[in-house]
Amino acid sequence: MDNFTKKASSILLFLYLILSIFPVRAQYQNKKPKLIVGIIVDQMRQEYLYRFGRRFSQNGFNRLINQGYSFKNAHFNYAPTYTGPGHASVYTGSTPAYHGIIANDWYNRFSGEDVYCVFDKSTKPIGKNENGKKASPHRLLTTTIGDELRLGTQQRSKVIGVSIKDRGAVLPAGHMGTAYWYDYSVGTFMSSDHYMESLPKWVRNFNQQDLSGKYLKQDWRTLYPMESYTASGPDDSPYESAPKGKEKPTFPYKLKKLRKENGDYGLLPHTPYGNRFVTDMALATIDNEALGKDEYSDLLAISYSSTDIIGHAFGPNSVEIEDTYLRLDQEIERLLLHLDKTVGTDNYVLFLTADHAVAEVPQRLIDAKIPAGYFSQKELRTSLNGYLSKTHGKGDWVENISNLQVFLNRKLIREKNVDLKQVQEQVSEYLLDIDGVINAYPAHEIAAMNYDHAGPKGILVRGYHQKRSGDVLIAFAPSWFSSSSHKGTTHGSVYAYDTHVPLLWYGAGIPKGQSTRYRAITDIVPTLSILLQTTFPNGCTGKPIEELLGY
């Protein structure tokens, strides 16, 4: 065989191999996962994967990182960064500008009252407690990936949300799914008649086990010797809040003794056992609802809330938060092993992210001579009202200040024949003289901006809903926030410490790899839509993630 023939044969062999591979790949990509599992870890920083990762097992978080795809530069692309908007944005592929969940609670200028993102007085609580929370997704203005999945399969697909927090279950489940959340008063999972007339028998049986009561009979002690918690500060820290009935925020926490003064069953979410209880319910849901067992893809949305509740009280530098994540790693492992066994590793796709991250305790930064601070929204309202009364005449010019937004008394402005835009601009200029305020934007300026505007302004634009948001949007300097206590921490800002979260993908067809390319959290849903071969949610603004789809 001459050289020309040899080269031609090699080329033909190469082309044959390429052509034989691509049809298989295309065919595999057309295979829809039988189950999507979405995990939101409330208040989780990307940085926790680095700081605590060396102590994670190989079968929990590290399995997702090492055997799946990790995006190290994923961010929420709007503010305020809170739980309600976070869950809504992840599952709609949109932001508050479209889906309308602008905060956990917000001021309704039309009714003159504060509203909660999932409270629905027209619903009836379903569960053990007749006085439980009334909730539905009626304030969510767009569809979710679960809604589109249900619509596309003529409601044959199952979509279920499970969380301690009602908003952590309701918003991911969408309008057409089913949501279960924790009833703080009796320690069981409940729902509302938006979803069902009564709890399924399997949920009633699950509740009868009183797992929450059994967990509250235990102590919360560190998993490992205290001296091994070198990724945290000292256990006895001045920047942490102790529960009622305990002088210092130090281990161990004797839950049996603390129950009475801390809401009885309401104490559970303040411990890592709250996360374990959610895993218990998630596993029971997989089994009893036979998720991933037929030709119609299902979706299970799991939200771990105790990380947020513990994080608020103790802060990101606490032994309590490190121990909580070490224990959560065990829950992720337990969930993955159960999915392997019941659904099969080739049949499910899982993603893990957060609804927001968290700030360092400002007082800790102040003591370290790093710029940070506190302000009072109540005092701000008083001083601003005084300024406007001197400028335009006596009156209650400010109706509300919340979520770093000023709501003006538009009725009074009309009565005084004052230009609304002028007042918005005057308020913005006045606020710049307040300690800690770095920017203040009139709402008419934000409303006129393009949705894709870059930088902090763009983050505010995407969080601004013209009918629900305020008249002036405030941006405080980094590590400034409103609080009457200098212990514990919070979140909500435009800054990376609040927007930067994990984004891990794992499962059938998901390649191994990692990326430092910027990814908006709104890109999750369009990617799922392509995997599930369904319509994008009707308010979706995200873009599919090419690294996961192979093109």
Side-chain angles (χ1 to χ4, degrees):
M1 185 181 294
D2 56 41
N3 289 334
F4 176 81
T5 305
K6 288 181 179 179
K7 288 181 180 179
S9 298
S10 298
I11 292 171
L12 288 172
L13 178 61
F14 175 77
L15 290 173
Y16 172 80
L17 291 172
I18 292 295
L19 291 172
S20 65
I21 290 171
F22 275 113
V24 173
R25 180 177 176 83
Q27 183 180 7
Y28 185 72
Q29 287 178 342
N30 285 331
K31 179 185 176 184
K32 294 186 289 186
K34 290 189 174 183
L35 176 63
I36 298 291
V37 179
I39 300 175
I40 291 182
V41 182
D42 204 327
Q43 203 188 105
M44 185 175 184
R45 288 175 162 187
Q46 164 68 20
E47 176 253 356
Y48 289 160
L49 292 176
Y50 309 142
R51 183 149 56 102
F52 305 146
R54 66 181 180 83
R55 303 188 74 188
F56 292 152
S57 75
Q58 291 305 306
N59 301 310
F61 284 113
N62 282 330
R63 177 177 170 184
L64 303 181
I65 294 169
N66 297 330
Q67 299 181 37
Y69 206 102
S70 172
F71 292 91
K72 297 183 177 182
N73 193 24
H75 290 261
F76 281 88
N77 56 349
Y78 66 85
T81 38
Y82 297 140
T83 296
H87 284 75
S89 297
V90 168
Y91 284 93
T92 63
S94 186
T95 70
Y98 292 100
H99 63 60
I101 305 298
I102 64 169
N104 294 333
D105 308 85
W106 63 87
Y107 178 70
N108 184 331
R109 67 166 73 253
F110 302 103
S111 65
E113 61 183 358
D114 291 328
V115 298
Y116 176 54
C117 61
V118 297
F119 172 72
D120 186 351
K121 64 181 179 182
S122 70
T123 62
K124 176 185 175 182
I126 299 296
K128 184 178 179 180
N129 177 19
E130 294 182 355
N131 298 314
K133 291 184 178 180
K134 300 178 178 182
S136 84
H138 74 293
R139 288 195 171 92
L140 182 66
L141 302 178
T142 65
T143 60
T144 64
I145 180 63
D147 291 332
E148 298 298 342
L149 182 61
R150 294 267 289 163
L151 287 168
T153 61
Q154 311 308 313
Q155 302 188 40
R156 294 184 179 93
S157 292
K158 294 182 178 180
V159 175
I160 302 175
V162 176
S163 179
I164 288 290
K165 295 180 180 178
D166 51 1
R167 58 188 181 272
V170 169
L171 296 169
H175 302 277
M176 299 181 69
T178 301
Y180 299 105
W181 60 91
Y182 185 68
D183 189 331
Y184 277 60
S185 61
V186 293
T188 57
F189 276 95
M190 64 171 293
S191 189
S192 83
D193 65 353
H194 174 84
Y195 306 100
M196 62 193 71
E197 294 182 359
S198 62
L199 290 179
K201 183 178 179 181
W202 73 263
V203 177
R204 297 197 302 271
N205 291 339
F206 178 87
N207 285 336
Q208 287 175 0
Q209 298 177 74
D210 190 28
L211 294 177
S212 55
K214 293 175 182 177
Y215 289 137
L216 286 169
K217 292 178 181 178
Q218 304 180 33
D219 293 341
W220 177 16
R221 300 177 181 273
T222 55
L223 271 176
Y224 307 106
M226 180 64 70
E227 59 271 17
S228 69
Y229 285 74
T230 57
S232 306
D235 186 31
D236 188 2
S237 168
Y239 309 117
E240 301 171 14
S241 299
K244 293 179 182 179
K246 190 170 172 61
E247 291 185 5
K248 294 183 178 182
T250 56
F251 284 94
Y253 292 88
K254 298 183 179 298
L255 304 185
K256 285 189 291 185
K257 293 183 178 180
L258 295 173
R259 282 182 69 169
K260 185 176 181 180
E261 292 189 62
N262 292 275
D264 196 14
Y265 283 105
L267 177 61
L268 183 75
H270 295 258
T271 77
Y273 298 122
N275 290 334
R276 186 166 183 82
F277 191 45
V278 168
T279 306
D280 293 334
M281 181 61 174
L283 301 189
T285 303
I286 293 168
D287 293 344
N288 289 281
E289 294 289 349
L291 298 184
K293 292 296 186 181
D294 60 25
E295 60 185 298
Y296 301 103
S297 300
D298 300 319
L299 189 154
L300 174 62
I302 305 168
S303 179
Y304 288 108
S305 306
S306 291
T307 44
D308 178 76
I309 297 167
I310 294 166
H312 275 291
F314 298 100
N317 197 52
S318 62
V319 175
E320 285 81 0
I321 205 69
E322 181 177 357
D323 193 68
T324 296
Y325 276 91
L326 294 177
R327 291 175 179 273
L328 181 59
D329 182 59
Q330 297 180 338
E331 298 308 306
I332 301 299
E333 177 179 352
R334 188 158 69 108
L335 176 65
L336 289 172
L337 291 175
H338 193 80
L339 288 167
D340 294 342
K341 181 180 178 180
T342 58
V343 182
T345 54
D346 294 334
N347 294 319
Y348 71 88
V349 168
L350 179 149
F351 71 86
L352 183 147
T353 188
D355 54 351
H356 52 75
V358 69
E360 182 54 81
V361 179
Q363 190 60 51
R364 181 172 182 244
L365 299 180
I366 293 169
D367 292 344
K369 300 182 179 180
I370 296 173
Y374 298 90
F375 71 95
S376 167
Q377 288 190 149
K378 183 178 180 180
E379 292 178 4
L380 186 60
R381 178 178 178 179
T382 300
S383 65
L384 183 54
N385 220 15
Y387 163 72
L388 291 174
S389 291
K390 289 179 181 180
T391 307
H392 298 289
K394 190 174 181 180
D396 190 9
W397 292 92
V398 180
E399 288 189 350
N400 182 275
I401 298 181
S402 56
N403 302 311
L404 299 184
Q405 299 179 19
V406 178
F407 291 81
L408 296 172
N409 187 337
R410 293 191 177 187
K411 181 180 178 182
L412 180 61
I413 288 172
R414 288 192 296 270
E415 290 175 353
K416 296 280 189 178
N417 198 28
V418 180
D419 182 68
L420 175 62
K421 291 183 180 179
Q422 180 188 6
V423 180
Q424 290 178 350
E425 290 169 358
Q426 289 173 336
V427 169
S428 298
E429 291 177 7
Y430 175 82
L431 289 170
L432 291 176
D433 291 331
I434 304 296
D435 285 346
V437 175
I438 195 169
N439 280 305
Y441 304 102
H444 73 84
E445 180 182 323
I446 294 294
M449 289 181 186
N450 187 286
Y451 182 86
D452 293 325
H453 195 94
K457 272 190 180 181
I459 290 177
L460 292 175
V461 169
R462 288 180 286 277
Y464 174 79
H465 190 278
Q466 198 161 357
K467 291 184 70 173
R468 293 182 174 181
S469 298
D471 291 286
V472 177
L473 280 63
I474 310 171
F476 274 81
S479 299
W480 277 74
F481 56 72
S482 176
S483 178
S484 58
S485 172
H486 291 195
K487 295 182 178 183
T489 189
T490 193
H491 46 83
S493 77
V494 301
Y495 300 111
Y497 56 73
D498 280 338
T499 67
H500 190 195
V501 295
L503 180 53
L504 307 177
W505 291 78
Y506 175 84
I510 300 298
K512 295 180 183 179
Q514 58 183 330
S515 174
T516 57
R517 178 184 177 186
Y518 174 89
R519 278 293 174 188
I521 214 70
T522 48
D523 294 344
I524 293 172
V525 152
T527 306
L528 291 175
S529 297
I530 290 178
L531 290 174
L532 292 169
Q533 301 173 27
T534 191
T535 307
F536 286 20
N538 59 15
C540 182
T541 57
K543 301 176 181 178
I545 301 175
E546 296 93 339
E547 294 96 323
L548 301 179
L549 299 172
Y551 49 84

